[in-house]
Structures are given as C-alpha cells and as structure tokens.
C-alpha cells in the first residue's frame, strides 16, 4: 500500500511552546499524531486503544490488565525471551497497561532503532499468542497484588467510595486489576476475545514524538499497520443509571492500623464537559502540593494529617473527585469534620482572586513541565486525541485555565461537591464514635 492511498486526512497544528504537530487519519481508521523534535536522539511512541477496563464484562473484571501483562510474552514468530532480548539489545523500553478508559502499549528508543521497534510492536499487537503458562504466572501476580492492597486502608476506603459513587454495574466502580473471583474465572480464551474485540485499528491512536520526520513516521506506520483491517465491532452498551443522593452518607471499614484514612468522594465531570477545567483548578487549589488549602489548614495549622490531598481524574465518563487525609486514629472524628468543612466552604462564597490566581499559575507551570520529554508529549497528545478532545486541546487547556473565575469555581462546587460519599477506614473503636457532619 502506498503512502498516498493509506491516509484520508492530514493537518498541522501548533502546540503551546511553538512545536508543530501533524495529525493524520489513515484509511483503516488509525489516527496518527506526530510531533517532530530533533533536539534529542530519541523517539517515543504510545498506542492508545479506546476502552480499557471500562469495556470489560463485570464477571471478567481485570481481563484487560491481565492481557497487558501477558501481551509481550509471545507472538507467532517470537517467544517471550526473543521479545525481551530484542528490546534489551536495542537499549529500548517497552510496556503495556490498561486504565479505566484505554489500553496502551508504549515504547521509546534511539531514533535509528525506531523502525525495528515499531515493527516489533506491530507484531505484538497484531499476533499475540497469550501462552497458557504466562497467563497463569501473571494471574498469580495479580492475585497477590490484590491481597496486598487489602491491607492498605487507602485502598479499602477508595473501594467503598467507588462502589457507592457508581453503583454495582458501572466499570468505574471496579478496580482495573479486577477481583479475586474474576481473576480466578478468566482464562486464555477471555484474553483472546478481548484482544479480538477491542484491539482493532479503528479504535487505535498512535502518538509519536521525537527525532523523526512526519513522512517517515507515516511511511513506517503504513508499512506495519496499513494492511490491518477492523474485524470486530463491539456492541454499544446501554447507559448505566448512576446512584443519586440528597445527603452525605458515611461508610466505615474496620481495619486495625495505626493510621486512619478519611475520604470524601464525589462524581465530577467527564473530560469533554465545560466544567472539567474548572474542577481541575478547584482540585489544584484544594490539595495540590504543600501550598494547597487542605495542606496548609489541616496539616500545617491543625496538625491533623500525615498526608492530605485531592484527586480529580481525567476520564471519559463522570470522573471521581476525591479529598482525603491520613490521620492518627484519635484524630479521626475531628479530621473528618474539618475536611468536610473545607469542602463546604467552596460552595458558600467565591474564593479570593489571589488564591485562584495562585492555583492557575501552579497548574500552568505543571502542565508546561509535564511536556518536557518526547514520552510525555506522546502520552499527553495521544490521550487527548483518543479521548475526543483532539490535539487542539493542548492550546485550549491553558487558555481555559486562565479564564476561570472565583464565581465559576463556586458554581461548579455547588453543582458537583454537595453530597459526598464519606469513607473511613480505621480501627473499630474509632469508627464507633463517628457521625456524618452536617
């Protein structure tokens, strides 16, 4: 297949910082994003398949993560050792992972070795064998990881928050690793089925950044992926009704530890929502770093927390917005009341302009620093494209951050941060005295 016949669309866009990105749509549905960067003699690539754990069956939760662990363990031409030796001989890096919204394979290497690595990745993605022995080995590793997580109070608190925010059927309610039962039920055939259904070219975005010319990247992608045709179209899942509540609810998980975890969980906005950026700014103000509101008020001033932060993920669907702290068991009740109070303040009055400005500058600085390497560029732009925001979001995001106002932040707090799921994991004697703060 010639280059002229392999692509249907091609355009150039400017990134923040002056770099130029090329976006190419191939005729088989693959989206190609290329960022030439001649400064370092390195090329990084990330292959995003839409779906991840969000498209798993509930009784096969963890199949995508297990597939990620086994995918590089053999193809029709190479054994696991052959693949490992090839990567090692080039001094390259190769990995695969599954997240709630995408399955990804990534690699980086010196520029001269890019053709060999791209050929290897194409072979792995298109012709994996999922050896039974490797499936069993990685299943045991995953089961051990799940057992270890059960000993961590943070994990226990977060598991309860997920279940109560999303109900029993939404994939965001589950761990990407799955459960002990689902892992025990998964067999090699489930990995083959997931691969055949969801690792298809019309679900794939390839982001490449580094010392490579766009025409060369297109030629190589066409050579190794251009004849790949979509052979399966997943059925569209029916929308899932998410739980609604009109009050805060407290859930307790007993665990005899020397630290209690106090967590407030909310359902935030999906990444395509106009409220997404405002919630990101709000999360930065609340719990991003030692200058954040929660850190200063609850840790520095009151000494109530070993750690305290807020988290707001970038997701296709309504993303979890979390505020949590780790504290001594004796301080659990007070810490819960204070943490809840800090969240309530966000809805009661607009933030000070200086506080908003500080959060905006912090976000803008961190965003710029998060795109310093070719690997970071490929990750950021590939995810934007796969998510549906498009690489244009690289320019839109900083502008949207800078335009957020105190009044806007108060409005999104009133919309999304009203009735938390409160999850506390700690000693039973402490849990007995807890009450839901009003």
């Amino acid at each position: 297949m010639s280059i002229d016949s392999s692509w249907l669309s091609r355009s150039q866009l400017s990134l923040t910082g002056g770099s130029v990105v090329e976006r190419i749509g191939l005729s088989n549905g693959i989206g190609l994003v290329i960022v030439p960067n001649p400064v370092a003699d390195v090329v990084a690539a990330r292959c995003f398949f839409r779906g991840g754990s969000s498209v798993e069956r509930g009784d096969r939760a963890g199949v995508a993560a297990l597939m990620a662990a086994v995918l590089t363990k053999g193809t029709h031409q190479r054994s696991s050792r052959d693949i490992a030796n090839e990567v090692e001989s080039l001094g390259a890096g190769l990995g695969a992972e599954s997240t709630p919204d995408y399955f990804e394979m990534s690699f980086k290497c010196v520029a001269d070795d890019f053709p060999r690595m791209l050929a290897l990745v194409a072979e792995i993605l298109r012709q994996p064998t999922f050896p039974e022995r490797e499936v069993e080995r990685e299943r045991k590793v995953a089961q051990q990881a799940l057992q270890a997580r059960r000993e961590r109070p943070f994990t226990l608190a977060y598991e309860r928050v997920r279940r109560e925010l999303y109900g029993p059927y939404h994939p965001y309610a589950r761990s990407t690793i799955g459960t002990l039962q689902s892992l025990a039920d998964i067999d090699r055939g489930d990995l083959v089925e997931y691969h055949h259904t969801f690792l298809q070219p019309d679900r794939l975005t390839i982001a490449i950044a580094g010392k490579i010319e766009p025409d060369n990247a297109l030629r190589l992608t066409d050579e190794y992926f251009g004849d790949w045709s979509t052979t399966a179209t997943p059925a569209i899942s029916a929308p899932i009704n998410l739980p609604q509540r009109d009050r805060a609810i407290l859930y307790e998980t007993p665990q005899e530890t020397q630290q209690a975890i106090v967590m407030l969980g909310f359902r935030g906005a999906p990444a395509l929502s106009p409220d997404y950026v405002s919630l990101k700014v709000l999360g930065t103000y609340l719990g991003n770093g030692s200058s954040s509101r929660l850190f200063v008020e609850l840790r520095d001033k009151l000494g109530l927390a070993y750690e305290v932060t807020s988290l707001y993920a970038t997701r296709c669907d309504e993303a979890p917005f979390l505020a949590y702290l780790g504290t001594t068991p004796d301080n659990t009740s007070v810490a819960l009341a204070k943490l809840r109070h800090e969240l309530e303040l966000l809805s009661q009055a607009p933030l000070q302009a200086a506080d908003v400005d500080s959060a905006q500058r912090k976000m803008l600085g961190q965003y710029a620093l998060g795109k310093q390497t070719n690997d970071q560029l490929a990750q950021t732009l590939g995810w934007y494209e796969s998510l549906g925001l498009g690489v244009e979001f690289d320019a839109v995001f900083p502008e949207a951050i800078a335009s957020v106002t105190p009044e806007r932040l108060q409005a999104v707090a009133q919309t999304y941060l009203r009735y938390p799921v409160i999850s506390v994991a700690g000693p039973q004697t402490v849990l007995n005295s807890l009450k839901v703060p009003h």
Side-chain angles (χ1 to χ4, degrees):
M1 183 183 295
S2 69
I3 290 179
D4 288 342
S5 64
S6 69
W7 56 272
L8 298 178
S9 62
R10 187 169 183 174
S11 59
Q12 284 189 344
L13 300 97
S14 296
L15 301 176
T16 54
S19 298
V20 175
V21 58
E22 290 220 22
R23 180 170 56 194
I24 302 170
L26 276 66
S27 59
N28 61 355
I30 294 175
L32 183 59
V33 175
I34 309 165
V35 187
N37 181 12
V39 176
D41 189 26
V42 174
V43 179
R46 290 182 174 259
C47 304
F48 292 86
F49 292 89
R50 297 188 304 277
S53 62
S54 65
V55 294
E56 296 172 338
R57 286 167 34 197
D59 62 350
R60 292 297 184 269
V63 65
L66 186 58
M67 189 186 73
V70 181
L71 191 65
T72 59
K73 304 303 184 182
T75 71
H76 292 301
Q77 287 78 41
R78 307 178 204 235
S79 68
S80 175
R81 183 177 294 276
D82 292 336
I83 293 172
N85 288 342
E86 174 77 351
V87 175
E88 185 177 345
S89 71
L90 299 177
L94 175 67
E97 68 168 332
S98 179
T99 76
D101 291 318
Y102 62 82
F103 182 94
E104 179 188 22
M105 171 157 277
S106 61
F107 71 91
K108 55 184 175 181
C109 59
V110 298
D112 286 346
D113 294 331
F114 178 76
R116 285 178 63 180
M117 281 300 299
L118 187 64
L120 176 63
V121 167
E123 181 182 319
I124 292 170
L125 288 174
R126 299 179 63 176
Q127 302 177 29
T129 53
F130 304 121
E132 291 277 9
R133 184 174 61 180
E134 300 290 350
V135 173
E136 289 305 313
R137 179 183 293 119
E138 296 301 334
R139 185 206 312 277
K140 291 178 181 178
V141 171
Q143 290 170 332
Q144 291 169 358
L146 277 176
Q147 294 282 17
R149 288 187 177 192
R150 298 295 301 173
E151 300 175 3
R152 303 171 189 165
F154 174 87
T155 301
L156 295 175
Y158 185 37
E159 284 180 350
R160 192 57 187 261
V161 166
R162 284 200 311 256
R163 289 199 302 270
E164 301 307 325
L165 286 179
Y166 295 100
Y169 304 113
H170 196 285
Y172 288 179
R174 305 189 295 262
S175 167
T176 56
I177 298 180
T179 67
L180 291 175
Q181 183 60 59
S182 66
L183 282 172
D185 292 340
I186 293 171
D187 60 25
R188 179 183 176 277
D190 294 312
L191 274 64
V192 172
E193 180 183 4
Y194 184 99
H195 175 269
H196 175 73
T197 305
F198 298 108
L199 267 64
Q200 294 286 334
D202 63 345
R203 303 176 69 88
L204 172 60
T205 297
I206 303 176
I208 302 170
K211 190 176 181 180
I212 189 168
E213 292 297 325
D215 283 345
N216 191 30
L218 173 56
R219 179 184 61 79
L220 291 168
T221 303
D222 176 60
E223 181 177 350
Y224 300 121
F225 291 93
D227 62 346
W228 191 11
S229 300
T230 297
T231 56
T233 302
I236 298 175
S237 301
I240 297 174
N241 293 324
L242 296 174
Q244 302 299 319
R245 60 183 51 83
D246 57 5
R247 61 188 177 90
I249 302 178
L250 172 65
Y251 296 96
E252 304 164 354
T253 304
Q255 188 184 46
E256 295 305 314
T257 63
Q258 296 183 0
Q259 180 179 196
I261 292 293
V262 178
M263 184 177 295
L264 307 184
F266 308 84
R267 284 200 310 270
L272 294 175
S273 167
D275 295 331
Y276 166 74
V277 174
S278 296
L279 280 170
K280 276 291 189 184
V281 175
L282 205 57
T284 297
Y285 162 77
L286 267 181
N288 186 335
S290 59
S291 63
S292 65
R293 171 75 183 190
L294 296 181
F295 194 97
V296 171
E297 295 297 321
L298 302 186
R299 189 180 188 277
D300 285 354
K301 292 184 179 181
L302 299 177
L304 289 174
Y306 297 120
E307 58 175 334
V308 58
T309 191
S310 65
L311 300 172
Y312 174 47
T314 300
R315 297 275 179 86
C316 291
D317 209 340
E318 296 180 15
F321 188 109
L322 307 176
Y324 77 92
L325 57 81
T327 188
T328 62
D330 290 346
N331 284 331
T332 302
S333 183
V334 175
L336 171 57
K338 294 295 184 182
L339 181 60
R340 178 70 175 131
H341 176 67
E342 290 296 334
L343 271 293
E344 289 175 339
L345 288 176
L346 299 174
S347 297
Q348 294 173 2
L351 297 178
Q352 296 295 315
D355 291 331
V356 177
D357 180 68
S358 178
Q360 290 167 320
R361 285 187 286 106
K362 183 187 295 185
M363 278 189 70
L364 290 169
Q366 291 175 342
Y367 184 65
L369 291 174
K371 301 187 301 171
Q372 294 300 296
T373 68
N374 291 329
D375 192 47
Q376 290 172 329
L377 274 172
Q379 169 67 35
T380 299
L381 300 179
W383 175 220
Y384 285 167
E385 192 72 7
S386 180
L387 189 60
L389 290 166
V391 294
E392 300 92 337
F393 193 67
D394 178 69
V396 171
F397 191 43
E399 295 176 358
I401 292 170
S403 68
V404 171
T405 64
E407 293 74 21
R408 178 64 178 161
L409 294 182
Q410 182 186 16
V412 296
Q414 291 171 341
T415 300
Y416 294 95
L417 308 183
R418 296 183 65 191
Y419 306 118
V421 169
I422 304 170
S423 180
V424 182
Q428 183 66 67
T429 54
V430 173
L431 300 180
N432 291 338
S433 63
L434 293 180
K435 295 181 180 179
V436 179
H438 297 290

